[in-house]
Amino acid sequence: MAQHALTAPTPSSFSRTTRDARLGQLDDTSFDLLVIGAGITGAGIARDAAMRGLRVAMVDKGDLASGTSSASSKLVHGGLRYLEHRQFGLVFESVSERARLGELAPHLVRPLPFFFPVYRKRPRPVWQIALGLSIYEALALYRVPKRHQTLRGARAREAFPTMNPDGFDGGVVFWDCATDDARLTLATARAAHDAGAWVLPYTEVVEFVVHRARVGGAVVRDRFTGASHTLSARVVVNATGPWTDRTLGLRRQRSRLLRPTKGVHIVLPADRLPLGATITIPREDEHFVFAIPSGERVLVGTTDTDYDGDYDSVQATAEEVRSLLAALNGAFPGAHLGPDDVVGSWGGLRPLISPHGDHVDPMAVSREHHLVEDEDGLITIAGGKLTTYRLMSAEVVDRVARRLREDGMHVGRCPTAAVRLPGGDGIRWEGDALVTTGPGGRDADAELVERYGPDTARHLRQAHGGRWLDVVGRAAREPALGERIVPDLPYLWAEIDHAVHEELAVTLEDVLRRRTQIQIRARDQGASVAEAVAERMGGLLGWSDADRQAQLDHWAGCVAAQESWREDWSDADEDDGQQEPDG
Ligand code: FAD
């Protein structure tokens, strides 16, 4: 590989070693801020606060992004739905953040065409949809990759020949963005670490520390060793997403802020459903099923149901898979998609504010997020979405700063709008291509394509941004790491080493589900490579044979849960595939 790749600087380590060393020092360290939860919200708060100079610790009972922040539709979007309700402020906020995130992390905010089809003037006539899109683009101050395009009659059928022609009036093509939610969270957490925050995954808050009726820290438990530590902090923020009420409950006060609902996605091979754009298939309840092209796969979701099951294992049911397949078969009647086409699935809980919750004013429900400061000083942030996480984080840290200023501490303003996320330097979109502008520039891109092929080259740039050099540098030093892990997916073995050393991957599941998406994209969910990946990780992390087997057993349990819907699938479900689109 090119010389620049071999000599690329290795960033400072972000690994289990750093985590363990810091955990050992917790009892003797005091912090300005403890953030509970390392989803996108917690990571955003930790980054913002650390960049303002605060001493920050962020803990999560699992991996970074192991909650809802790896279970979204993976879109960075303005929310067309808000337009329907004339919530122009919300749309403006979201589309502005979409543009901002595109500047801060171009690799993680991928422009994507969408097609909004109209059947028999439903959900609205084509001209009304087009008008809505004009407003959407105006609110974005026209910072969109391309302007929308109205397609009617034959032109629409030509552009989308596999769509159901029955009653098809045409529709509108417009642009929004896709992301990798877990990697966006990871990049944000990494930025927090680089700014000095202590990032401690697999560290669960089991109790609050309370002095004179004020929350002053928490007792945390190392999920690997069981050891407890006391973490002291002047301010504590609860950013535990769907677990918000449970975390509040650790103070033995019953609180109800949320009414989480469940959303499920399925993954199909792209050759079974070739799409030139994300198709928005309207459902009866004003929501959409998105069919999102994503490299060699199509991601399809979501459903929306109430949930009272296990928050730590939210899985698709046969009924939910059936309803998504039915929506697809209605929109694409020639596709004849069935359960055997589904290679993976995931479920997540929306941390929605309950309109009947404690301390909730009705505006909070429409604003999507809610910030509460209790009498004992605990600050809780709940709700929100990936797209606006940076703004939400700034609001929380402003509140934290106000508290610290009361104690005489100087805290600056939010600096996050102008500083790129890790990987965001040295890369930018030119038309439909993400190109390297850093060391090596276009020559490096050309070499990357020549060496690894266009799919892997695209994947490396999109996943790692300007830091792809670090990944291929590892492959240059050890050529076997330049091979693909799974033949029809673009991931390289070098990414396993990178994940362990630079991305705080600690378990096999961290690597197979969130640093890569092998678990939801591989036709066998990664079963044929899991042992080899565990072997490699074990070598890097010093696992014994028993450790390695425990990792494999845990991961196999995760996959069994993910795939459990198949056991409940019945022939009756399969017959129900040909439904008209709801629109
Ligand atoms: P989480 O990511 O759930 O993080 C909370 C963390 O707290 C978890 O990691 C958990 O392990 C940790 N935790 C809990 N209890 C404890 C404890 N006691 N000690 C330590 N840690 C603890 N938004 C968009 O912008 N675009 C989309 O396309 C989109 N699609 C979505 C689709 C679905 C189906 C869903 C469910 C949501 C979607 N969202 C989308 C919304 C977005 O995903 C969420 O708002 C966001 O991920 C919530 O992040 P969070 O950090 O608040 O929560």
Side-chain angles (χ1 to χ4, degrees), residues 536-550:
R536 181 81 199 174
M537 286 187 73
L540 300 170
L541 286 162
W543 290 346
S544 65
D545 288 350
D547 292 337
R548 197 175 61 242
Q549 194 53 51

Side-chain angles (χ1 to χ4, degrees), residues 259-262 304-309 320 349:
R259 188 183 65 87
T261 67
K262 178 188 179 191
D304 194 0
T305 50
D306 282 328
Y307 186 72
D308 59 3
E320 288 159 338
L349 296 179

